[in-house]
Amino acid sequence: MRVVLGEDLTLLRDGLIRLFTAYDMDVVAVDNGPGLRDALLTQRPDVAVVDVRLPPTFTNEGLRAAIEARARIRDLPVLVLSQHVEPLYARELLATGTRGLGYLLKDRVSDVGRFIEAVRTVAGGGTAIDPEVVAQLLARHARDQQLGRLTAREREVLALMAEGLANAGIAARLFITEKAVSKHINNVFAKLDLHPADEGNRRVLAVLTYLNA
Amino acid sequence: MMRGGVIRRSARACGRGVVLAATAVAGLPLFVVSLVCVVLLPTGIGVLLAPESLLAVRRLASSQRRQAREWSGVTIVSPYRPRPAAITSGLRGQLRYCRWVLADPATWRDLLWMLAGGPVGLVLGLAPAVLTLIGLWALGSDLGTLLFGWWNAAPPTVGYQVLFLSMLPLGLAGLVAGPRLLTVHAQSASALLAPTRAQMAAQVGRLTESRSQVVDSSAAELRRIERDLHDGAQARLVSVGMSIGLAEQLVRNNPDLALTLLSEARASNGQALSELRALVRGIHPPVLAERGLDGAVRALAVSLPLPVDVQAGLPGRAPAPVESAAYFAVAEALANVVKHSGATRAWVQLDYEDGRLVAIVGDNGTGGADPAAGGGLRGVEQRLAAFDGVIAVTSPPGGPTLVTMELPCELSWART
């Protein structure tokens, strides 16, 4: 798997390269800022892992580069990393489509197994949204009547769907059967007046659109 | 009761009027001396003498402002431009000092009042007392004549009687109008001693400027802290997590690499902690919170690569923001000593006098420090300006350098 990495802090860049190498991923280009967008467009990697804040202005060049590259190459898989997450950035990223999109806190790299899983999900066209973003989106809906009708379990399932997990993943996280997961999902869709969607990104999109509204 | 109050007030007005007249008359010789000094300016002697004499005028004018406020309730705001932040010694410093005094329009309005206020103060100030005395004298003579036939062996003529009687209302007028006359004087003083509209506008401009400088520098400071955290401790902690995570994965198959990763994680964790400590010290040094300015400056002195003698005579603690500003000002001055002065010894003196916290940092280095050149001292100036504090630097070539900082504040009595 070919990876383009956009990270300016040496410590983290080296750590990530070591991590990817240990999992047989090939870091084909590393750019710490100004040339990142071009690297994304010319390399067309299987997945790009990009820090939001990069030189030269240390604001949100990484995010901008990801959004611009995805505007040129539809669904170019990009996983955006940051030391803090903003639902606003999530919304901007999601506006470029949910396929092959990730937005995670940098802290998540310490759970190496799950982080690598997220990278692979994004590379495979899936979605990986940080639980923190989902939690903030849900918090915004604290007084939402429709969400209030969900059971505690259904809310957990909703949150995991929003993070981009498939049924099998949700089942494994919650230690329940996939059949139970589908039942909860049907309930969630019914209670939120969403069209029942199939597995995958249309479902994530439906859920995130609902939460982002 | 009421009547007693009126008489007491009138009597007081008479006394104050006399003091006021004396103050006003004192202005006349000051006016003459100042004028001579100004005329002597081109000879150079004036450059030395004019500021001193004009500042004496300023002190007299200030005491008249105080009289107006305390005796007549007429508030006259002080119109002077602020003392320039960094006045150095030597000829250049003296010229700047001179220019500061001469360029201030308030100086000339004060001087004009010394001339005009003399007769005005003399007349209005003495009027209550003189009128009252005339009244009392007339009353005394009248009563004396009528009751005891003192005046002369021969009874006074009708003309004298009428004269004395007509003087009685004058005395009464003096008694009743005394406080009013003082107010009139205060108001006429206000015409020249109060700031003009333009001066007020200039002052507002200055305040706005210093405020926006402070706001700018504190915003920049917050940005720096955020950057330091983001690129420093936060990044290190992420990398610690990453190393531990990877070690976790590798511990069975490649224990040696896992071990290396774990010791890297430990080192990185230690660095994160020391970076956090350094950052905290930059925001608010813990020793400042624990020991106050005195202790914090001593702690700072111990950490410097040259002997620093600290003498502190603070009877209490300044408010936390002032303490912090003073600490960082002293720290910056000492950092300059270390970086630029080539000194082998330095000393810090902390005192509290006349409602001001005074910090003096001196060294035996090569001197020649120029606060106008910008850099750290400019930042200190801004920091102190937020509390109406000032900094002055004397640093002749060849040394020694003295940095004096003053911050007006109240001390709270020793907290433990």
Side-chain angles (χ1 to χ4, degrees):
Chain A
M1 194 185 286
R2 297 168 64 251
V3 181
V4 166
L5 184 58
E7 168 64 73
D8 64 308
L9 298 172
T10 321
L11 196 66
L12 297 184
R13 194 167 58 213
D14 294 352
L16 283 170
I17 292 174
R18 191 159 60 188
L19 195 65
F20 292 141
T21 313
Y23 282 85
D24 294 325
M25 295 178 185
D26 209 5
V27 179
V28 291
V30 179
D31 196 286
N32 67 2
L36 182 61
R37 198 187 61 131
D38 291 339
L40 290 176
L41 294 177
T42 52
Q43 293 284 341
R44 284 179 169 260
D46 296 315
V47 65
V49 177
V50 171
D51 186 1
V52 166
R53 188 193 289 202
L54 291 172
T57 65
F58 295 99
T59 54
N60 60 0
E61 290 85 348
L63 187 73
R64 295 264 82 85
I67 290 171
E68 283 169 27
R70 278 169 66 83
R72 297 277 199 84
I73 304 174
R74 203 175 152 67
D75 298 336
L76 178 76
V78 178
L79 173 58
V80 175
L81 289 179
S82 178
Q83 263 165 14
H84 65 107
V85 286
E86 291 290 339
L88 173 69
Y89 293 176
R91 182 186 295 190
E92 289 173 6
L93 281 167
L94 288 165
T96 66
T98 45
R99 279 190 59 82
L101 181 70
Y103 181 40
L104 293 178
L105 267 182
K106 276 189 184 169
D107 310 16
R108 308 299 170 205
V109 295
S110 61
D111 191 340
V112 173
R114 209 183 271 181
F115 175 67
I116 292 295
E117 190 188 303
V119 175
R120 289 191 173 131
T121 303
V122 172
T127 311
I129 301 295
D130 198 275
E132 183 70 30
V133 176
V134 175
Q136 288 188 30
L137 290 175
L138 280 169
R140 247 184 54 199
H141 286 264
R143 287 198 224 132
D144 189 315
Q145 300 245 322
Q146 281 179 309
L147 271 186
R149 292 208 296 267
L150 300 187
T151 64
R153 185 57 106 186
E154 285 162 359
R155 289 172 68 93
E156 285 178 323
V157 170
L158 173 72
L160 292 173
M161 269 197 289
E163 286 177 36
L165 266 65
N167 285 18
I170 298 174
R173 251 347 137 74
L174 297 179
F175 303 106
I176 54 177
T177 62
E178 282 192 50
K179 227 181 116 189
V181 171
S182 339
K183 203 187 82 198
H184 288 312
I185 290 175
N186 284 335
N187 286 344
V188 169
F189 274 72
K191 287 183 183 175
L192 299 186
D193 296 330
L194 295 174
H195 292 295
D198 49 351
E199 276 268 322
N201 290 291
R202 278 182 50 208
R203 187 175 81 182
V204 179
L205 188 59
V207 171
L208 285 173
T209 309
Y210 175 80
L211 291 177
N212 241 333
Chain B
M1 192 69 191
M2 270 293 282
R3 186 142 306 183
V6 168
I7 289 177
R8 205 171 23 238
R9 218 169 27 243
S10 304
R12 205 158 52 199
C14 293
R16 285 172 172 175
V18 173
V19 175
L20 209 138
T23 320
V25 170
L28 289 169
L30 264 179
F31 172 80
V32 175
V33 170
S34 298
L35 209 61
V36 171
C37 288
V38 170
V39 169
L40 286 179
L41 271 177
T43 67
I45 302 168
V47 175
L48 284 175
L49 296 181
E52 298 313 320
S53 128
L54 288 170
L55 287 181
V57 167
R58 205 169 266 205
R59 276 193 290 278
L60 193 70
S62 296
S63 71
Q64 291 184 334
R65 284 188 196 93
R66 204 167 47 242
Q67 287 170 350
R69 191 183 65 242
E70 287 172 4
W71 294 351
S72 309
V74 177
T75 305
I76 308 177
V77 180
S78 182
Y80 307 117
R81 286 183 186 170
R83 204 183 162 84
I87 286 184
T88 47
S89 65
L91 185 63
R92 264 180 66 197
Q94 184 64 30
L95 281 172
R96 273 186 77 187
Y97 184 56
C98 198
R99 210 185 64 194
W100 164 58
V101 179
L102 293 179
D104 193 341
T107 300
W108 306 104
R109 291 165 62 86
D110 277 3
L111 202 57
L112 196 58
W113 176 246
M114 293 300 121
L115 182 64
V120 174
L122 199 63
V123 171
L124 289 177
L126 290 183
V130 170
L131 289 177
T132 307
L133 281 177
I134 290 175
L136 282 177
W137 174 68
L139 187 68
S141 332
D142 259 7
L143 286 179
T145 317
L146 286 175
L147 296 180
F148 310 108
W150 280 357
W151 189 243
N152 262 319
T157 60
V158 176
Y160 265 119
Q161 296 279 3
V162 171
L163 187 64
F164 288 149
L165 279 176
S166 67
M167 279 177 183
L168 276 175
L170 267 184
L172 270 178
L175 271 177
V176 174
R180 184 83 202 107
L181 288 174
L182 292 197
T183 308
V184 170
H185 179 261
Q187 280 159 351
S188 52
S190 168
L192 277 174
L193 294 186
T196 61
R197 251 184 131 60
Q199 283 169 325
M200 296 282 244
Q203 193 160 13
V204 169
R206 268 197 306 279
L207 289 174
T208 311
E209 189 190 341
S210 75
R211 180 170 159 275
S212 77
Q213 274 177 0
V214 169
V215 170
D216 279 356
S217 65
S218 68
E221 189 68 1
L222 285 177
R223 176 99 177 97
R224 180 188 68 77
I225 292 166
E226 193 266 354
R227 272 285 288 283
D228 284 359
L229 277 174
H230 181 274
D231 294 357
Q234 240 178 335
R236 287 200 190 283
L237 288 174
V238 169
S239 116
V240 167
M242 194 158 40
S243 300
I244 294 175
L246 196 54
E248 214 173 20
Q249 303 286 314
L250 292 172
V251 72
R252 291 218 177 72
N253 300 332
N254 192 346
D256 285 347
L257 183 54
L259 207 61
T260 316
L261 285 168
L262 283 176
S263 54
E264 272 180 33
R266 188 163 52 91
S268 202
N269 183 55
Q271 278 166 341
L273 277 174
S274 64
E275 276 172 14
L276 279 177
R277 266 195 300 276
L279 190 66
V280 164
R281 213 176 298 135
I283 300 168
H284 192 81
V287 65
L288 183 59
E290 292 155 8
R291 295 282 187 82
L293 187 57
D294 181 347
V297 169
R298 282 180 204 281
L300 185 66
V302 170
S303 72
L304 291 177
L306 77 168
V308 180
D309 181 27
V310 179
Q311 286 187 347
L314 299 179
R317 286 188 64 171
V322 174
E323 225 175 30
S324 171
Y327 172 82
F328 282 107
V330 170
E332 183 62 39
L334 282 174
N336 283 336
V337 171
V338 173
K339 269 188 277 181
H340 307 301
S341 74
T344 55
R345 296 199 71 82
W347 51 271
V348 180
Q349 196 179 329
L350 300 171
D351 279 308
Y352 185 73
E353 48 197 45
D354 300 335
R356 304 174 84 80
L357 177 65
V358 182
I360 305 175
V361 178
D363 67 58
N364 64 353
T366 52
D370 183 9
L377 285 178
R378 181 96 188 97
V380 170
E381 194 184 320
Q382 282 175 15
R383 226 184 241 267
L384 297 182
F387 301 93
D388 288 329
V390 290
I391 178 171
V393 180
T394 61
S395 183
T401 299
L402 268 187
V403 179
T404 308
M405 293 158 280
E406 291 189 7
L407 277 162
C409 66
E410 301 276 324
L411 291 194
S412 64
W413 302 107
R415 290 179 253 168
T416 47

PDB file of all heavy atoms in Angstrom, chain A residues 62-83:
ATOM      1  N   GLY A  62      -2.907  21.633   5.921  1.00  0.00           N
ATOM      2  CA  GLY A  62      -3.110  20.207   5.657  1.00  0.00           C
ATOM      3  C   GLY A  62      -4.546  19.935   5.250  1.00  0.00           C
ATOM      4  O   GLY A  62      -4.820  19.220   4.286  1.00  0.00           O
ATOM      5  N   LEU A  63      -5.448  20.540   6.011  1.00  0.00           N
ATOM      6  CA  LEU A  63      -6.874  20.379   5.726  1.00  0.00           C
ATOM      7  C   LEU A  63      -7.204  20.923   4.330  1.00  0.00           C
ATOM      8  O   LEU A  63      -7.887  20.269   3.533  1.00  0.00           O
ATOM      9  CB  LEU A  63      -7.677  21.140   6.782  1.00  0.00           C
ATOM     10  CG  LEU A  63      -9.182  20.970   6.771  1.00  0.00           C
ATOM     11  CD1 LEU A  63      -9.563  19.599   7.300  1.00  0.00           C
ATOM     12  CD2 LEU A  63      -9.842  22.058   7.611  1.00  0.00           C
ATOM     13  N   ARG A  64      -6.685  22.126   4.039  1.00  0.00           N
ATOM     14  CA  ARG A  64      -6.930  22.744   2.736  1.00  0.00           C
ATOM     15  C   ARG A  64      -6.400  21.851   1.602  1.00  0.00           C
ATOM     16  O   ARG A  64      -7.106  21.615   0.614  1.00  0.00           O
ATOM     17  CB  ARG A  64      -6.251  24.116   2.637  1.00  0.00           C
ATOM     18  CG  ARG A  64      -6.788  25.171   3.586  1.00  0.00           C
ATOM     19  CD  ARG A  64      -7.825  26.055   2.902  1.00  0.00           C
ATOM     20  NE  ARG A  64      -9.145  25.407   2.887  1.00  0.00           N
ATOM     21  CZ  ARG A  64     -10.008  25.474   3.900  1.00  0.00           C
ATOM     22  NH1 ARG A  64      -9.726  26.170   4.986  1.00  0.00           N
ATOM     23  NH2 ARG A  64     -11.178  24.862   3.833  1.00  0.00           N
ATOM     24  N   ALA A  65      -5.175  21.350   1.792  1.00  0.00           N
ATOM     25  CA  ALA A  65      -4.579  20.505   0.755  1.00  0.00           C
ATOM     26  C   ALA A  65      -5.442  19.268   0.518  1.00  0.00           C
ATOM     27  O   ALA A  65      -5.705  18.874  -0.624  1.00  0.00           O
ATOM     28  CB  ALA A  65      -3.165  20.102   1.158  1.00  0.00           C
ATOM     29  N   ALA A  66      -5.929  18.657   1.617  1.00  0.00           N
ATOM     30  CA  ALA A  66      -6.766  17.462   1.493  1.00  0.00           C
ATOM     31  C   ALA A  66      -8.041  17.777   0.732  1.00  0.00           C
ATOM     32  O   ALA A  66      -8.444  17.044  -0.177  1.00  0.00           O
ATOM     33  CB  ALA A  66      -7.089  16.916   2.890  1.00  0.00           C
ATOM     34  N   ILE A  67      -8.678  18.902   1.090  1.00  0.00           N
ATOM     35  CA  ILE A  67      -9.942  19.260   0.454  1.00  0.00           C
ATOM     36  C   ILE A  67      -9.731  19.553  -1.033  1.00  0.00           C
ATOM     37  O   ILE A  67     -10.484  19.090  -1.897  1.00  0.00           O
ATOM     38  CB  ILE A  67     -10.585  20.470   1.173  1.00  0.00           C
ATOM     39  CG1 ILE A  67     -11.081  20.031   2.548  1.00  0.00           C
ATOM     40  CG2 ILE A  67     -11.730  21.053   0.351  1.00  0.00           C
ATOM     41  CD1 ILE A  67     -11.538  21.161   3.441  1.00  0.00           C
ATOM     42  N   GLU A  68      -8.642  20.303  -1.344  1.00  0.00           N
ATOM     43  CA  GLU A  68      -8.383  20.636  -2.745  1.00  0.00           C
ATOM     44  C   GLU A  68      -8.067  19.394  -3.568  1.00  0.00           C
ATOM     45  O   GLU A  68      -8.546  19.239  -4.699  1.00  0.00           O
ATOM     46  CB  GLU A  68      -7.228  21.639  -2.842  1.00  0.00           C
ATOM     47  CG  GLU A  68      -7.668  23.052  -2.482  1.00  0.00           C
ATOM     48  CD  GLU A  68      -6.483  23.989  -2.306  1.00  0.00           C
ATOM     49  OE1 GLU A  68      -5.425  23.723  -2.922  1.00  0.00           O
ATOM     50  OE2 GLU A  68      -6.618  24.964  -1.541  1.00  0.00           O
ATOM     51  N   ALA A  69      -7.257  18.503  -2.971  1.00  0.00           N
ATOM     52  CA  ALA A  69      -6.895  17.293  -3.713  1.00  0.00           C
ATOM     53  C   ALA A  69      -8.130  16.437  -3.977  1.00  0.00           C
ATOM     54  O   ALA A  69      -8.301  15.873  -5.056  1.00  0.00           O
ATOM     55  CB  ALA A  69      -5.848  16.501  -2.941  1.00  0.00           C
ATOM     56  N   ARG A  70      -9.026  16.381  -2.997  1.00  0.00           N
ATOM     57  CA  ARG A  70     -10.232  15.570  -3.190  1.00  0.00           C
ATOM     58  C   ARG A  70     -11.201  16.229  -4.170  1.00  0.00           C
ATOM     59  O   ARG A  70     -12.058  15.551  -4.763  1.00  0.00           O
ATOM     60  CB  ARG A  70     -10.924  15.313  -1.844  1.00  0.00           C
ATOM     61  CG  ARG A  70     -10.287  14.155  -1.079  1.00  0.00           C
ATOM     62  CD  ARG A  70     -10.793  14.085   0.342  1.00  0.00           C
ATOM     63  NE  ARG A  70     -12.207  13.748   0.452  1.00  0.00           N
ATOM     64  CZ  ARG A  70     -12.695  12.503   0.424  1.00  0.00           C
ATOM     65  NH1 ARG A  70     -11.866  11.476   0.261  1.00  0.00           N
ATOM     66  NH2 ARG A  70     -13.988  12.273   0.548  1.00  0.00           N
ATOM     67  N   ALA A  71     -11.071  17.528  -4.342  1.00  0.00           N
ATOM     68  CA  ALA A  71     -11.910  18.191  -5.339  1.00  0.00           C
ATOM     69  C   ALA A  71     -11.427  17.826  -6.746  1.00  0.00           C
ATOM     70  O   ALA A  71     -12.213  17.746  -7.684  1.00  0.00           O
ATOM     71  CB  ALA A  71     -11.869  19.706  -5.131  1.00  0.00           C
ATOM     72  N   ARG A  72     -10.097  17.633  -6.870  1.00  0.00           N
ATOM     73  CA  ARG A  72      -9.532  17.285  -8.183  1.00  0.00           C
ATOM     74  C   ARG A  72      -9.681  15.800  -8.469  1.00  0.00           C
ATOM     75  O   ARG A  72     -10.041  15.403  -9.566  1.00  0.00           O
ATOM     76  CB  ARG A  72      -8.032  17.634  -8.227  1.00  0.00           C
ATOM     77  CG  ARG A  72      -7.740  19.108  -8.065  1.00  0.00           C
ATOM     78  CD  ARG A  72      -7.881  19.824  -9.414  1.00  0.00           C
ATOM     79  NE  ARG A  72      -7.181  21.105  -9.372  1.00  0.00           N
ATOM     80  CZ  ARG A  72      -5.895  21.231  -9.605  1.00  0.00           C
ATOM     81  NH1 ARG A  72      -5.168  20.174  -9.936  1.00  0.00           N
ATOM     82  NH2 ARG A  72      -5.338  22.408  -9.524  1.00  0.00           N
ATOM     83  N   ILE A  73      -9.325  14.995  -7.473  1.00  0.00           N
ATOM     84  CA  ILE A  73      -9.433  13.551  -7.656  1.00  0.00           C
ATOM     85  C   ILE A  73     -10.521  13.054  -6.724  1.00  0.00           C
ATOM     86  O   ILE A  73     -10.373  13.060  -5.505  1.00  0.00           O
ATOM     87  CB  ILE A  73      -8.105  12.836  -7.306  1.00  0.00           C
ATOM     88  CG1 ILE A  73      -6.963  13.403  -8.138  1.00  0.00           C
ATOM     89  CG2 ILE A  73      -8.242  11.331  -7.514  1.00  0.00           C
ATOM     90  CD1 ILE A  73      -5.607  12.850  -7.755  1.00  0.00           C
ATOM     91  N   ARG A  74     -11.637  12.663  -7.330  1.00  0.00           N
ATOM     92  CA  ARG A  74     -12.800  12.290  -6.538  1.00  0.00           C
ATOM     93  C   ARG A  74     -12.475  11.119  -5.614  1.00  0.00           C
ATOM     94  O   ARG A  74     -11.854  10.137  -6.031  1.00  0.00           O
ATOM     95  CB  ARG A  74     -13.931  11.905  -7.498  1.00  0.00           C
ATOM     96  CG  ARG A  74     -15.287  12.027  -6.884  1.00  0.00           C
ATOM     97  CD  ARG A  74     -16.386  11.761  -7.897  1.00  0.00           C
ATOM     98  NE  ARG A  74     -17.554  11.235  -7.201  1.00  0.00           N
ATOM     99  CZ  ARG A  74     -18.274  11.963  -6.351  1.00  0.00           C
ATOM    100  NH1 ARG A  74     -17.973  13.211  -6.119  1.00  0.00           N
ATOM    101  NH2 ARG A  74     -19.316  11.421  -5.736  1.00  0.00           N
ATOM    102  N   ASP A  75     -12.842  11.265  -4.331  1.00  0.00           N
ATOM    103  CA  ASP A  75     -12.697  10.199  -3.347  1.00  0.00           C
ATOM    104  C   ASP A  75     -11.254   9.739  -3.135  1.00  0.00           C
ATOM    105  O   ASP A  75     -11.020   8.587  -2.755  1.00  0.00           O
ATOM    106  CB  ASP A  75     -13.579   9.001  -3.713  1.00  0.00           C
ATOM    107  CG  ASP A  75     -15.054   9.363  -3.724  1.00  0.00           C
ATOM    108  OD1 ASP A  75     -15.412  10.337  -3.031  1.00  0.00           O
ATOM    109  OD2 ASP A  75     -15.829   8.695  -4.428  1.00  0.00           O
ATOM    110  N   LEU A  76     -10.298  10.621  -3.389  1.00  0.00           N
ATOM    111  CA  LEU A  76      -8.911  10.294  -3.060  1.00  0.00           C
ATOM    112  C   LEU A  76      -8.847  10.008  -1.558  1.00  0.00           C
ATOM    113  O   LEU A  76      -9.227  10.850  -0.746  1.00  0.00           O
ATOM    114  CB  LEU A  76      -8.007  11.490  -3.399  1.00  0.00           C
ATOM    115  CG  LEU A  76      -6.539  11.313  -3.053  1.00  0.00           C
ATOM    116  CD1 LEU A  76      -5.861  10.400  -4.069  1.00  0.00           C
ATOM    117  CD2 LEU A  76      -5.826  12.658  -2.997  1.00  0.00           C
ATOM    118  N   PRO A  77      -8.396   8.810  -1.158  1.00  0.00           N
ATOM    119  CA  PRO A  77      -8.446   8.466   0.271  1.00  0.00           C
ATOM    120  C   PRO A  77      -7.494   9.337   1.109  1.00  0.00           C
ATOM    121  O   PRO A  77      -6.291   9.330   0.868  1.00  0.00           O
ATOM    122  CB  PRO A  77      -7.999   7.004   0.310  1.00  0.00           C
ATOM    123  CG  PRO A  77      -8.179   6.504  -1.081  1.00  0.00           C
ATOM    124  CD  PRO A  77      -7.897   7.680  -1.968  1.00  0.00           C
ATOM    125  N   VAL A  78      -8.068  10.077   2.024  1.00  0.00           N
ATOM    126  CA  VAL A  78      -7.257  10.939   2.891  1.00  0.00           C
ATOM    127  C   VAL A  78      -7.677  10.736   4.342  1.00  0.00           C
ATOM    128  O   VAL A  78      -8.864  10.788   4.666  1.00  0.00           O
ATOM    129  CB  VAL A  78      -7.429  12.427   2.531  1.00  0.00           C
ATOM    130  CG1 VAL A  78      -6.618  13.302   3.484  1.00  0.00           C
ATOM    131  CG2 VAL A  78      -7.014  12.704   1.094  1.00  0.00           C
ATOM    132  N   LEU A  79      -6.680  10.503   5.184  1.00  0.00           N
ATOM    133  CA  LEU A  79      -6.941  10.444   6.623  1.00  0.00           C
ATOM    134  C   LEU A  79      -6.288  11.693   7.227  1.00  0.00           C
ATOM    135  O   LEU A  79      -5.080  11.867   7.172  1.00  0.00           O
ATOM    136  CB  LEU A  79      -6.331   9.170   7.218  1.00  0.00           C
ATOM    137  CG  LEU A  79      -6.365   9.048   8.739  1.00  0.00           C
ATOM    138  CD1 LEU A  79      -7.778   9.134   9.277  1.00  0.00           C
ATOM    139  CD2 LEU A  79      -5.730   7.738   9.182  1.00  0.00           C
ATOM    140  N   VAL A  80      -7.128  12.567   7.785  1.00  0.00           N
ATOM    141  CA  VAL A  80      -6.617  13.811   8.368  1.00  0.00           C
ATOM    142  C   VAL A  80      -6.416  13.608   9.865  1.00  0.00           C
ATOM    143  O   VAL A  80      -7.305  13.104  10.556  1.00  0.00           O
ATOM    144  CB  VAL A  80      -7.606  14.966   8.112  1.00  0.00           C
ATOM    145  CG1 VAL A  80      -7.157  16.237   8.821  1.00  0.00           C
ATOM    146  CG2 VAL A  80      -7.746  15.216   6.615  1.00  0.00           C
ATOM    147  N   LEU A  81      -5.229  13.970  10.346  1.00  0.00           N
ATOM    148  CA  LEU A  81      -4.916  13.834  11.766  1.00  0.00           C
ATOM    149  C   LEU A  81      -4.793  15.216  12.392  1.00  0.00           C
ATOM    150  O   LEU A  81      -4.355  16.162  11.736  1.00  0.00           O
ATOM    151  CB  LEU A  81      -3.579  13.117  11.956  1.00  0.00           C
ATOM    152  CG  LEU A  81      -3.510  11.630  11.649  1.00  0.00           C
ATOM    153  CD1 LEU A  81      -2.089  11.140  11.892  1.00  0.00           C
ATOM    154  CD2 LEU A  81      -4.485  10.862  12.518  1.00  0.00           C
ATOM    155  N   SER A  82      -5.141  15.321  13.664  1.00  0.00           N
ATOM    156  CA  SER A  82      -5.011  16.619  14.316  1.00  0.00           C
ATOM    157  C   SER A  82      -4.901  16.450  15.820  1.00  0.00           C
ATOM    158  O   SER A  82      -5.333  15.434  16.366  1.00  0.00           O
ATOM    159  CB  SER A  82      -6.209  17.491  13.973  1.00  0.00           C
ATOM    160  OG  SER A  82      -6.095  18.714  14.647  1.00  0.00           O
ATOM    161  N   GLN A  83      -4.312  17.453  16.468  1.00  0.00           N
ATOM    162  CA  GLN A  83      -4.211  17.363  17.920  1.00  0.00           C
ATOM    163  C   GLN A  83      -5.501  17.806  18.602  1.00  0.00           C
ATOM    164  O   GLN A  83      -5.647  17.694  19.800  1.00  0.00           O
ATOM    165  CB  GLN A  83      -3.008  18.158  18.419  1.00  0.00           C
ATOM    166  CG  GLN A  83      -1.844  17.208  18.625  1.00  0.00           C
ATOM    167  CD  GLN A  83      -0.532  17.903  18.760  1.00  0.00           C
ATOM    168  OE1 GLN A  83      -0.459  19.103  18.961  1.00  0.00           O
ATOM    169  NE2 GLN A  83       0.525  17.139  18.667  1.00  0.00           N
TER     170      GLN A  83
END
